[in-house]
Amino acid sequence: MMMKKYLVTVGLLSALLFGACGLVNYLVDPFQLYHFNIGDADTLGRVEQFENMRFYKPQHVRRVKPEALVIGSSRSGGLQPEQPSWQGLASYNFSVPGITAYEMLRSVQHANAIKPLSRLAIGIDFEEFIKPYDRFRPGFAEARMLRSPKERYSPGYWMQRFSDIRISLFSFDVLMQSIEAVVERAPKIRRYFSNGAWEPVSRKLTGRGGYVFTGRNMLILNEKGGLNPQKNLQQLRKLLRFCYRNNIETRLFFTPTHAFLVDFWYRQGHRSMWQDLRRQVLQINIETAKEFGRSPFDLVGFDQLSGIVDEPIYRARDIDKAWFSDGVHFRPRLSQLIMASLWDGDSDFGRRLSAENIEVYLQEVDELRESFVHSNGDMLEDVHSRISPK
């Protein structure tokens, strides 16, 4: 009898505990899954969301039902999914940190299954394409991502949805984030928008210290070895075929990289890989267009922009003057120019790449890098010495 009362008491206390957890997580909603507000720029930013995007963004896409999409790594995350030619179209930035080409493909398939896409911007980064990762990174769930509209009725998809509800409401890890959201109530490092974009609000890891941090990460990546873009390029070809097949008006762009990081990869002996990635993406775009009897999608490069990619490496206190935060992540004003250039066919900001001008473009990038190195020798040696101390 005593044992029965004990079990009943434990059961009731457990139910109350889980119920309270679920109620708090529902009301606070740190991922904006239950109180979604497309115009709110601060609610998501109460909690640092960098590691959560593979969880909540596919669910946001179900709510937004975007017809226009931006996809890429954290570098593309700063692009506001807004353009005059997108007026009247629901839009979303589906970028996530460290995205793989396979995740890009599945993200575009997922969004298109929710509602057919008419516009798409694809950001391509050298570092993400050469990383020896598996097809997807931790946090990505295959069952969470639709391939076609009919999969919305599949048991696996609904099992994943119930699992996501359980995690978002009854996880104590999420409860800790809910408590943090109540206590903090304001963005600390980045401001996250409900349209999927984000922007920095802190000087942390910006300026010269940001370049050192980025350089160290690149050095670790290089020392791991096995760098090769071929698997990611195969997935990119599949993605482009999907876009041509579904008549999605698509723009591809190489996310701009500061001349310091271009020089870094050249110093590591990867000049040919850096250049060949651009040649191969261009060739894949041309070949895939030919398969479908279409003109190639616009492919835009920004690495030749004098005065931008070769700007001084500012200190953190002067970061508001800069185009880049840390050599790879660009600041909002550059994001605005990139987005406008992609959808304005007459824009001379950036270079629309073709078989006829790719070698000239790569030569311009080389010349800009050489000029930057020549003009900033002492500063470069200081930064490199902090990246890889003797």
Side-chain angles (χ1 to χ4, degrees), residues 75-90:
R75 302 186 199 186
S76 300
L79 297 179
Q80 291 290 341
E82 301 166 354
Q83 273 305 296
S85 66
W86 290 16
Q87 290 297 320
L89 299 177

PDB file of all heavy atoms in Angstrom, residues 75-90:
ATOM      1  N   ARG A  75      28.019  33.007 -43.720  1.00  0.00           N
ATOM      2  CA  ARG A  75      28.358  34.218 -44.473  1.00  0.00           C
ATOM      3  C   ARG A  75      27.126  34.764 -45.196  1.00  0.00           C
ATOM      4  O   ARG A  75      26.941  35.969 -45.310  1.00  0.00           O
ATOM      5  CB  ARG A  75      29.456  33.909 -45.484  1.00  0.00           C
ATOM      6  CG  ARG A  75      30.707  33.347 -44.829  1.00  0.00           C
ATOM      7  CD  ARG A  75      31.806  33.187 -45.848  1.00  0.00           C
ATOM      8  NE  ARG A  75      32.821  32.262 -45.360  1.00  0.00           N
ATOM      9  CZ  ARG A  75      33.962  32.010 -45.977  1.00  0.00           C
ATOM     10  NH1 ARG A  75      34.211  32.612 -47.133  1.00  0.00           N
ATOM     11  NH2 ARG A  75      34.829  31.171 -45.482  1.00  0.00           N
ATOM     12  N   SER A  76      26.297  33.862 -45.705  1.00  0.00           N
ATOM     13  CA  SER A  76      25.075  34.288 -46.401  1.00  0.00           C
ATOM     14  C   SER A  76      23.965  34.638 -45.423  1.00  0.00           C
ATOM     15  O   SER A  76      22.936  35.181 -45.828  1.00  0.00           O
ATOM     16  CB  SER A  76      24.604  33.176 -47.344  1.00  0.00           C
ATOM     17  OG  SER A  76      25.597  32.877 -48.304  1.00  0.00           O
ATOM     18  N   GLY A  77      24.170  34.330 -44.145  1.00  0.00           N
ATOM     19  CA  GLY A  77      23.126  34.581 -43.150  1.00  0.00           C
ATOM     20  C   GLY A  77      22.811  36.047 -42.961  1.00  0.00           C
ATOM     21  O   GLY A  77      21.752  36.396 -42.444  1.00  0.00           O
ATOM     22  N   GLY A  78      23.739  36.926 -43.372  1.00  0.00           N
ATOM     23  CA  GLY A  78      23.489  38.346 -43.216  1.00  0.00           C
ATOM     24  C   GLY A  78      22.658  38.966 -44.320  1.00  0.00           C
ATOM     25  O   GLY A  78      22.307  40.148 -44.247  1.00  0.00           O
ATOM     26  N   LEU A  79      22.323  38.196 -45.346  1.00  0.00           N
ATOM     27  CA  LEU A  79      21.556  38.740 -46.465  1.00  0.00           C
ATOM     28  C   LEU A  79      20.074  38.811 -46.104  1.00  0.00           C
ATOM     29  O   LEU A  79      19.438  37.782 -45.863  1.00  0.00           O
ATOM     30  CB  LEU A  79      21.736  37.871 -47.707  1.00  0.00           C
ATOM     31  CG  LEU A  79      23.155  37.763 -48.275  1.00  0.00           C
ATOM     32  CD1 LEU A  79      23.159  36.838 -49.484  1.00  0.00           C
ATOM     33  CD2 LEU A  79      23.694  39.128 -48.662  1.00  0.00           C
ATOM     34  N   GLN A  80      19.537  40.014 -46.058  1.00  0.00           N
ATOM     35  CA  GLN A  80      18.103  40.159 -45.833  1.00  0.00           C
ATOM     36  C   GLN A  80      17.375  39.680 -47.093  1.00  0.00           C
ATOM     37  O   GLN A  80      17.664  40.151 -48.193  1.00  0.00           O
ATOM     38  CB  GLN A  80      17.751  41.610 -45.539  1.00  0.00           C
ATOM     39  CG  GLN A  80      18.265  42.114 -44.203  1.00  0.00           C
ATOM     40  CD  GLN A  80      17.537  41.486 -43.023  1.00  0.00           C
ATOM     41  OE1 GLN A  80      16.432  40.950 -43.162  1.00  0.00           O
ATOM     42  NE2 GLN A  80      18.151  41.545 -41.853  1.00  0.00           N
ATOM     43  N   PRO A  81      16.434  38.741 -46.962  1.00  0.00           N
ATOM     44  CA  PRO A  81      15.754  38.190 -48.144  1.00  0.00           C
ATOM     45  C   PRO A  81      14.698  39.142 -48.675  1.00  0.00           C
ATOM     46  O   PRO A  81      13.499  38.846 -48.674  1.00  0.00           O
ATOM     47  CB  PRO A  81      15.148  36.885 -47.610  1.00  0.00           C
ATOM     48  CG  PRO A  81      14.889  37.165 -46.170  1.00  0.00           C
ATOM     49  CD  PRO A  81      15.998  38.086 -45.718  1.00  0.00           C
ATOM     50  N   GLU A  82      15.166  40.296 -49.146  1.00  0.00           N
ATOM     51  CA  GLU A  82      14.254  41.331 -49.626  1.00  0.00           C
ATOM     52  C   GLU A  82      14.857  41.981 -50.866  1.00  0.00           C
ATOM     53  O   GLU A  82      16.044  42.316 -50.874  1.00  0.00           O
ATOM     54  CB  GLU A  82      14.044  42.406 -48.548  1.00  0.00           C
ATOM     55  CG  GLU A  82      13.482  41.875 -47.230  1.00  0.00           C
ATOM     56  CD  GLU A  82      13.615  42.880 -46.105  1.00  0.00           C
ATOM     57  OE1 GLU A  82      14.250  43.941 -46.349  1.00  0.00           O
ATOM     58  OE2 GLU A  82      13.117  42.613 -45.009  1.00  0.00           O
ATOM     59  N   GLN A  83      14.061  42.159 -51.883  1.00  0.00           N
ATOM     60  CA  GLN A  83      14.478  42.847 -53.100  1.00  0.00           C
ATOM     61  C   GLN A  83      13.232  43.387 -53.799  1.00  0.00           C
ATOM     62  O   GLN A  83      12.146  42.815 -53.659  1.00  0.00           O
ATOM     63  CB  GLN A  83      15.222  41.895 -54.045  1.00  0.00           C
ATOM     64  CG  GLN A  83      16.709  41.777 -53.781  1.00  0.00           C
ATOM     65  CD  GLN A  83      17.408  43.124 -53.801  1.00  0.00           C
ATOM     66  OE1 GLN A  83      17.456  43.798 -54.823  1.00  0.00           O
ATOM     67  NE2 GLN A  83      17.918  43.534 -52.654  1.00  0.00           N
ATOM     68  N   PRO A  84      13.374  44.482 -54.549  1.00  0.00           N
ATOM     69  CA  PRO A  84      12.193  44.993 -55.267  1.00  0.00           C
ATOM     70  C   PRO A  84      11.518  43.943 -56.144  1.00  0.00           C
ATOM     71  O   PRO A  84      10.284  43.892 -56.218  1.00  0.00           O
ATOM     72  CB  PRO A  84      12.787  46.136 -56.111  1.00  0.00           C
ATOM     73  CG  PRO A  84      13.958  46.614 -55.311  1.00  0.00           C
ATOM     74  CD  PRO A  84      14.530  45.383 -54.672  1.00  0.00           C
ATOM     75  N   SER A  85      12.323  43.085 -56.789  1.00  0.00           N
ATOM     76  CA  SER A  85      11.725  42.062 -57.659  1.00  0.00           C
ATOM     77  C   SER A  85      11.058  40.941 -56.863  1.00  0.00           C
ATOM     78  O   SER A  85      10.398  40.083 -57.449  1.00  0.00           O
ATOM     79  CB  SER A  85      12.789  41.469 -58.579  1.00  0.00           C
ATOM     80  OG  SER A  85      13.764  40.746 -57.841  1.00  0.00           O
ATOM     81  N   TRP A  86      11.247  40.946 -55.536  1.00  0.00           N
ATOM     82  CA  TRP A  86      10.621  39.946 -54.676  1.00  0.00           C
ATOM     83  C   TRP A  86       9.326  40.459 -54.053  1.00  0.00           C
ATOM     84  O   TRP A  86       8.734  39.763 -53.228  1.00  0.00           O
ATOM     85  CB  TRP A  86      11.578  39.517 -53.570  1.00  0.00           C
ATOM     86  CG  TRP A  86      12.746  38.699 -54.036  1.00  0.00           C
ATOM     87  CD1 TRP A  86      13.203  38.567 -55.316  1.00  0.00           C
ATOM     88  CD2 TRP A  86      13.608  37.909 -53.225  1.00  0.00           C
ATOM     89  NE1 TRP A  86      14.307  37.743 -55.346  1.00  0.00           N
ATOM     90  CE2 TRP A  86      14.586  37.323 -54.075  1.00  0.00           C
ATOM     91  CE3 TRP A  86      13.665  37.635 -51.857  1.00  0.00           C
ATOM     92  CZ2 TRP A  86      15.593  36.485 -53.605  1.00  0.00           C
ATOM     93  CZ3 TRP A  86      14.674  36.804 -51.381  1.00  0.00           C
ATOM     94  CH2 TRP A  86      15.623  36.228 -52.244  1.00  0.00           C
ATOM     95  N   GLN A  87       8.924  41.678 -54.387  1.00  0.00           N
ATOM     96  CA  GLN A  87       7.722  42.251 -53.779  1.00  0.00           C
ATOM     97  C   GLN A  87       6.530  41.328 -54.009  1.00  0.00           C
ATOM     98  O   GLN A  87       6.296  40.854 -55.118  1.00  0.00           O
ATOM     99  CB  GLN A  87       7.431  43.630 -54.368  1.00  0.00           C
ATOM    100  CG  GLN A  87       8.437  44.698 -53.962  1.00  0.00           C
ATOM    101  CD  GLN A  87       8.447  44.945 -52.464  1.00  0.00           C
ATOM    102  OE1 GLN A  87       7.391  44.970 -51.823  1.00  0.00           O
ATOM    103  NE2 GLN A  87       9.622  45.116 -51.899  1.00  0.00           N
ATOM    104  N   GLY A  88       5.800  41.080 -52.934  1.00  0.00           N
ATOM    105  CA  GLY A  88       4.626  40.222 -53.020  1.00  0.00           C
ATOM    106  C   GLY A  88       4.937  38.757 -52.809  1.00  0.00           C
ATOM    107  O   GLY A  88       4.021  37.930 -52.743  1.00  0.00           O
ATOM    108  N   LEU A  89       6.237  38.414 -52.690  1.00  0.00           N
ATOM    109  CA  LEU A  89       6.638  37.027 -52.473  1.00  0.00           C
ATOM    110  C   LEU A  89       7.053  36.831 -51.021  1.00  0.00           C
ATOM    111  O   LEU A  89       7.854  37.605 -50.490  1.00  0.00           O
ATOM    112  CB  LEU A  89       7.827  36.646 -53.375  1.00  0.00           C
ATOM    113  CG  LEU A  89       7.615  36.725 -54.888  1.00  0.00           C
ATOM    114  CD1 LEU A  89       8.911  36.390 -55.615  1.00  0.00           C
ATOM    115  CD2 LEU A  89       6.505  35.787 -55.330  1.00  0.00           C
ATOM    116  N   ALA A  90       6.516  35.815 -50.367  1.00  0.00           N
ATOM    117  CA  ALA A  90       7.016  35.454 -49.044  1.00  0.00           C
ATOM    118  C   ALA A  90       8.461  34.997 -49.194  1.00  0.00           C
ATOM    119  O   ALA A  90       8.799  34.277 -50.139  1.00  0.00           O
ATOM    120  CB  ALA A  90       6.156  34.343 -48.447  1.00  0.00           C
TER     121      ALA A  90
END
